[in-house]
Protein backbone atom coordinates (compact mmCIF):
# COMPACT_ATOMS: atom_id res chain seq x y z
CA UNK A 1 0.00 0.00 0.00
CA UNK A 2 1.16 3.53 -0.77
CA UNK A 3 0.22 6.24 1.75
CA UNK A 4 0.74 9.87 0.77
CA UNK A 5 0.69 12.24 3.74
CA UNK A 6 0.15 15.95 3.10
CA UNK A 7 1.39 18.04 6.03
CA UNK A 8 3.15 21.26 7.02
CA UNK A 9 5.37 19.29 9.40
CA UNK A 10 6.88 16.34 7.54
CA UNK A 11 9.76 16.24 10.06
CA UNK A 12 7.29 15.09 12.76
CA UNK A 13 7.07 11.75 10.94
CA UNK A 14 10.83 11.14 11.01
CA UNK A 15 11.60 7.89 12.84
CA UNK A 16 7.92 7.11 13.45
CA UNK A 17 7.78 4.82 10.45
CA UNK A 18 11.25 3.37 11.04
CA UNK A 19 10.58 1.23 14.08
CA UNK A 20 8.89 -2.02 15.02
CA UNK A 21 6.17 -3.67 12.92
CA UNK A 22 5.53 -0.54 10.89
CA UNK A 23 9.27 -0.12 10.29
CA UNK A 24 9.61 -3.67 8.96
CA UNK A 25 6.54 -3.19 6.75
CA UNK A 26 8.12 -0.06 5.27
CA UNK A 27 11.53 -1.74 4.83
CA UNK A 28 10.02 -4.80 3.16
CA UNK A 29 8.01 -2.59 0.77
CA UNK A 30 4.56 -3.63 2.04
CA UNK A 31 3.90 0.02 2.87
CA UNK A 32 5.35 3.00 1.09
CA UNK A 33 4.94 6.30 2.97
CA UNK A 34 5.41 9.43 0.87
CA UNK A 35 5.45 12.79 2.68
CA UNK A 36 4.48 16.08 0.99
CA UNK A 37 5.01 19.52 2.51
CA UNK A 38 2.25 21.77 1.26
CA UNK A 39 4.31 24.79 2.29
CA UNK A 40 5.92 24.19 -1.14
CA UNK A 41 2.59 25.31 -2.65
CA UNK A 42 2.37 28.47 -0.50
CA UNK A 43 1.87 31.99 -1.88
CA UNK A 44 4.66 34.45 -2.60
CA UNK A 45 8.21 34.72 -1.35
CA UNK A 46 7.24 33.53 2.14
CA UNK A 47 5.24 30.55 0.86
CA UNK A 48 2.25 31.67 2.92
CA UNK A 49 -0.34 28.93 3.51
CA UNK A 50 -2.62 30.58 6.08
CA UNK A 51 -4.52 33.77 6.80
CA UNK A 52 -6.75 35.29 9.47
CA UNK A 53 -10.40 34.12 9.54
CA UNK A 54 -13.09 36.26 7.89
CA UNK A 55 -15.40 37.54 10.61
CA UNK A 56 -12.56 37.66 13.16
CA UNK A 57 -11.66 35.27 15.91
CA UNK A 58 -8.49 33.58 17.11
CA UNK A 59 -5.98 31.56 15.11
CA UNK A 60 -5.27 31.18 11.43
CA UNK A 61 -7.06 29.31 8.66
CA UNK A 62 -5.46 27.42 5.76
CA UNK A 63 -5.87 29.32 2.50
CA UNK A 64 -7.70 27.21 -0.07
CA UNK A 65 -5.35 27.50 -3.07
CA UNK A 66 -2.03 26.10 -1.72
CA UNK A 67 -3.67 23.10 -0.09
CA UNK A 68 -5.93 22.28 -3.03
CA UNK A 69 -3.06 22.62 -5.53
CA UNK A 70 -1.00 20.26 -3.40
CA UNK A 71 -3.84 17.70 -3.09
CA UNK A 72 -4.47 17.79 -6.87
CA UNK A 73 -0.75 17.34 -7.63
CA UNK A 74 -0.38 14.48 -5.17
CA UNK A 75 -3.48 12.74 -6.61
CA UNK A 76 -1.77 12.68 -10.02
CA UNK A 77 1.46 11.12 -8.72
CA UNK A 78 0.15 7.56 -8.62
CA UNK A 79 -2.93 5.35 -8.89
CA UNK A 80 -6.37 6.76 -7.83
CA UNK A 81 -6.85 6.99 -4.07
CA UNK A 82 -9.36 8.37 -1.59
CA UNK A 83 -8.33 11.73 -0.12
CA UNK A 84 -8.94 11.66 3.62
CA UNK A 85 -8.91 14.78 5.81
CA UNK A 86 -7.89 14.25 9.43
CA UNK A 87 -10.22 16.52 11.40
CA UNK A 88 -12.04 16.46 14.75
CA UNK A 89 -15.39 16.58 12.91
CA UNK A 90 -14.56 13.50 10.79
CA UNK A 91 -16.15 10.06 10.94
CA UNK A 92 -14.90 8.22 14.06
CA UNK A 93 -11.98 5.94 13.13
CA UNK A 94 -12.66 2.35 14.23
CA UNK A 95 -11.10 -1.06 13.71
CA UNK A 96 -13.82 -1.84 11.14
CA UNK A 97 -13.10 1.29 9.17
CA UNK A 98 -9.39 0.40 9.35
CA UNK A 99 -10.17 -3.03 7.87
CA UNK A 100 -11.97 -1.36 4.95
CA UNK A 101 -9.17 1.15 4.36
CA UNK A 102 -6.54 -1.63 4.45
CA UNK A 103 -8.11 -2.97 1.23
CA UNK A 104 -7.00 0.09 -0.76
CA UNK A 105 -3.69 0.09 -2.65
CA UNK A 106 -3.26 3.79 -1.98
CA UNK A 107 -4.52 6.40 0.50
CA UNK A 108 -3.92 10.16 0.66
CA UNK A 109 -4.06 11.64 4.17
CA UNK A 110 -4.30 15.40 4.69
CA UNK A 111 -3.22 16.82 8.06
CA UNK A 112 -4.70 20.10 9.27
CA UNK A 113 -3.21 22.59 11.75
CA UNK A 114 -4.24 25.92 13.23
CA UNK A 115 -7.98 26.61 13.41
CA UNK A 116 -8.75 24.46 10.37
CA UNK A 117 -9.23 24.44 6.63
CA UNK A 118 -11.12 27.03 4.61
CA UNK A 119 -14.57 25.37 4.38
CA UNK A 120 -14.55 25.61 0.57
CA UNK A 121 -11.82 22.97 0.22
CA UNK A 122 -13.83 20.30 2.03
CA UNK A 123 -15.14 18.94 -1.31
CA UNK A 124 -11.54 17.88 -2.15
CA UNK A 125 -11.84 15.25 0.59
CA UNK A 126 -13.59 11.98 -0.14
CA UNK A 127 -14.26 11.85 3.59
CA UNK A 128 -12.88 13.02 6.92
CA UNK A 129 -11.69 10.93 9.85
CA UNK A 130 -11.44 11.72 13.55
CA UNK A 131 -9.46 9.55 15.96
CA UNK A 132 -11.47 10.66 18.99
CA UNK A 133 -13.55 13.33 20.66
CA UNK A 134 -10.72 15.71 21.48
CA UNK A 135 -8.90 18.36 19.52
CA UNK A 136 -5.25 17.73 18.66
CA UNK A 137 -2.88 20.51 17.66
CA UNK A 138 -2.93 19.03 14.18
CA UNK A 139 -3.81 15.99 12.11
CA UNK A 140 -0.27 14.55 12.14
CA UNK A 141 -0.71 12.35 15.21
CA UNK A 142 -4.08 11.25 13.88
CA UNK A 143 -2.42 10.27 10.57
CA UNK A 144 0.22 8.26 12.45
CA UNK A 145 -2.50 6.49 14.41
CA UNK A 146 -4.49 5.64 11.29
CA UNK A 147 -1.41 4.39 9.38
CA UNK A 148 -0.25 2.31 12.35
CA UNK A 149 -3.67 0.68 12.86
CA UNK A 150 -4.17 0.00 9.15
CA UNK A 151 -0.67 -1.34 8.62
CA UNK A 152 -1.32 -4.18 11.07
CA UNK A 153 -4.19 -5.36 8.90
CA UNK A 154 -2.20 -5.64 5.68
CA UNK A 155 -1.33 -9.33 5.26
CA UNK A 156 2.36 -9.85 5.89
CA UNK A 157 2.96 -6.90 8.22
CA UNK A 158 2.38 -8.72 11.50
CA UNK A 159 4.35 -11.96 11.73
CA UNK A 160 1.41 -13.99 12.99
CA UNK A 161 -1.91 -13.01 11.39
CA UNK A 162 -3.74 -14.85 14.22
CA UNK A 163 -2.50 -12.20 16.60
CA UNK A 164 -4.27 -9.53 14.52
CA UNK A 165 -7.51 -11.50 14.44
CA UNK A 166 -7.34 -11.88 18.22
CA UNK A 167 -6.63 -8.18 18.73
CA UNK A 168 -8.98 -6.11 20.79
CA UNK A 169 -11.84 -4.95 18.55
CA UNK A 170 -10.84 -7.02 15.48
CA UNK A 171 -13.86 -9.28 15.89
CA UNK A 172 -15.94 -6.66 17.61
CA UNK A 173 -14.90 -7.60 21.14
CA UNK A 174 -11.96 -6.77 23.38
CA UNK A 175 -8.98 -9.08 23.74
CA UNK A 176 -8.67 -11.61 26.59
CA UNK A 177 -6.05 -10.96 29.31
CA UNK A 178 -2.54 -12.33 28.74
CA UNK A 179 0.00 -13.76 31.22
CA UNK A 180 3.62 -14.85 31.03
CA UNK A 181 6.24 -16.32 33.42
CA UNK A 182 6.52 -16.39 36.38
CA UNK A 183 3.29 -18.32 37.04
CA UNK A 184 3.21 -16.89 40.56
CA UNK A 185 4.11 -13.20 41.05
CA UNK A 186 3.64 -11.03 44.13
CA UNK A 187 1.03 -13.49 45.40
CA UNK A 188 -0.93 -13.34 42.13
CA UNK A 189 -1.36 -16.63 40.25
CA UNK A 190 -1.85 -17.26 36.55
CA UNK A 191 -5.23 -18.98 36.04
CA UNK A 192 -4.71 -22.76 36.24
CA UNK A 193 -6.49 -23.47 32.98
CA UNK A 194 -3.70 -21.72 31.06
CA UNK A 195 -1.08 -24.05 32.52
CA UNK A 196 -2.61 -27.41 31.72
CA UNK A 197 -2.07 -27.46 27.92
CA UNK A 198 -5.69 -28.37 27.07
CA UNK A 199 -6.31 -26.07 24.11
CA UNK A 200 -10.05 -26.58 23.95
CA UNK A 201 -10.32 -25.43 27.59
CA UNK A 202 -7.84 -22.61 27.02
CA UNK A 203 -9.76 -21.28 24.00
CA UNK A 204 -13.09 -21.42 25.83
CA UNK A 205 -11.57 -19.70 28.89
CA UNK A 206 -10.04 -16.95 26.74
CA UNK A 207 -13.28 -16.38 24.85
CA UNK A 208 -15.23 -16.14 28.12
CA UNK A 209 -12.70 -13.60 29.53
CA UNK A 210 -12.84 -11.58 26.30
CA UNK A 211 -16.65 -11.50 26.42
CA UNK A 212 -16.66 -10.60 30.12
CA UNK A 213 -14.10 -7.79 29.64
CA UNK A 214 -16.20 -6.38 26.81
CA UNK A 215 -19.45 -6.57 28.80
CA UNK A 216 -17.88 -4.83 31.82
CA UNK A 217 -15.54 -2.31 30.15
CA UNK A 218 -17.34 -1.49 26.89
CA UNK A 219 -21.06 -2.33 27.06
CA UNK A 220 -21.54 -0.07 24.02
CA UNK A 221 -19.22 -2.32 21.97
CA UNK A 222 -20.82 -5.49 23.37
CA UNK A 223 -24.28 -4.25 22.33
CA UNK A 224 -23.17 -4.35 18.68
CA UNK A 225 -21.30 -7.68 18.82
CA UNK A 226 -22.58 -10.61 16.73
CA UNK A 227 -22.67 -13.49 19.21
CA UNK A 228 -22.22 -17.08 18.01
CA UNK A 229 -24.23 -19.90 19.63
CA UNK A 230 -21.18 -20.93 21.65
CA UNK A 231 -20.74 -17.31 22.83
CA UNK A 232 -24.36 -17.39 24.04
CA UNK A 233 -23.65 -20.65 25.91
CA UNK A 234 -20.55 -19.09 27.52
CA UNK A 235 -22.58 -16.06 28.64
CA UNK A 236 -25.30 -18.32 30.10
CA UNK A 237 -22.57 -20.13 32.02
CA UNK A 238 -21.09 -16.85 33.27
CA UNK A 239 -24.54 -15.72 34.44
CA UNK A 240 -25.17 -19.03 36.22
CA UNK A 241 -21.96 -18.50 38.24
CA UNK A 242 -23.01 -15.01 39.41
N1 LIG B 1 -7.11 17.02 14.12
C1 LIG B 1 -7.33 17.64 15.29
N2 LIG B 1 -7.99 16.85 16.15
C2 LIG B 1 -8.21 15.67 15.49
C3 LIG B 1 -8.85 14.45 15.83
N3 LIG B 1 -9.43 14.26 17.02
N4 LIG B 1 -8.88 13.46 14.92
C4 LIG B 1 -8.32 13.66 13.70
N5 LIG B 1 -7.70 14.78 13.33
C5 LIG B 1 -7.64 15.79 14.20
Amino acid sequence: MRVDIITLLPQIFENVFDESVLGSAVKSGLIDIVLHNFRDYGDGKHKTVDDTPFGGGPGMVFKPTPLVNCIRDVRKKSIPAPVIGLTPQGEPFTQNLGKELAKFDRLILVCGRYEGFDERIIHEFDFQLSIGDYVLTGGEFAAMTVVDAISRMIPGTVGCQDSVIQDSFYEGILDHPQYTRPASWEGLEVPNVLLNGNHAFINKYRRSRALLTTIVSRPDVFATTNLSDSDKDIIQELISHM
Side-chain angles (χ1 to χ4, degrees):
M1 173 191 276
R2 170 178 166 135
V3 184
D4 292 90
I5 302 178
I6 296 177
T7 170
L8 265 192
L9 295 172
Q11 65 276 19
I12 275 195
F13 294 89
E14 266 166 36
N15 304 327
V16 170
F17 299 128
D18 294 347
E19 302 297 328
S20 185
V21 169
L22 197 47
S24 330
V26 169
K27 280 181 202 117
S28 64
L30 283 165
I31 299 178
D32 186 17
I33 312 270
V34 189
L35 297 168
H36 308 273
N37 189 343
F38 74 88
R39 171 82 57 198
D40 299 342
Y41 295 77
D43 290 340
K45 193 167 85 189
H46 297 293
K47 300 277 180 204
T48 307
V49 291
D50 58 346
D51 207 337
T52 51
F54 275 125
M60 301 291 274
V61 177
F62 283 136
K63 290 155 74 70
T65 310
L67 187 54
V68 164
N69 284 346
C70 179
I71 293 174
R72 289 179 185 165
D73 251 14
V74 170
R75 265 190 199 276
K76 284 186 262 169
K77 285 185 193 290
S78 182
I79 53 173
V83 175
I84 305 167
L86 279 320
T87 64
Q89 66 269 24
E91 192 178 332
F93 180 65
T94 59
Q95 188 84 356
N96 270 338
L97 205 45
K99 265 194 255 181
E100 292 309 310
L101 293 178
K103 294 177 188 160
F104 283 89
D105 291 323
R106 184 183 181 209
L107 301 173
I108 300 173
L109 305 182
V110 184
C111 307
R113 288 246 128 204
Y114 310 137
E115 295 304 307
F117 306 103
D118 184 302
E119 191 63 21
R120 292 164 296 178
I121 69 118
I122 297 298
H123 63 267
E124 286 294 318
F125 297 144
D126 291 290
F127 55 96
Q128 300 175 60
L129 280 185
S130 163
I131 61 159
D133 290 342
Y134 38 78
V135 180
L136 301 165
T137 52
E140 284 76 11
F141 291 105
M144 288 175 205
T145 304
V146 168
V147 172
D148 188 273
I150 291 174
S151 70
R152 308 189 71 256
M153 300 174 202
I154 298 173
T157 53
V158 173
C160 170
Q161 206 57 21
D162 276 358
S163 89
V164 172
I165 289 165
Q166 277 168 21
D167 271 347
S168 288
F169 293 116
Y170 196 88
E171 279 194 299
I173 64 167
L174 294 166
D175 202 0
H176 56 77
Q178 297 278 16
Y179 303 88
T180 187
R181 272 173 283 276
S184 177
W185 176 76
E186 297 200 348
L188 302 170
E189 308 297 326
V190 170
N192 247 328
V193 59
L194 299 177
L195 307 175
N196 69 16
N198 182 327
H199 285 282
F201 282 1
I202 291 173
N203 289 341
K204 187 174 166 193
Y205 170 79
R206 285 183 163 164
R207 187 74 190 172
S208 77
R209 290 298 109 171
L211 288 165
L212 193 59
T213 308
T214 313
I215 292 167
V216 172
S217 305
R218 291 297 303 272
D220 55 321
V221 171
F222 182 73
T224 62
T225 305
N226 282 328
L227 297 175
S228 65
D229 286 344
S230 68
D231 286 339
K232 289 177 193 160
D233 291 344
I234 289 173
I235 289 166
Q236 278 304 330
E237 228 177 288
L238 286 170
I239 292 169
S240 71
H241 286 108
M242 285 171 109

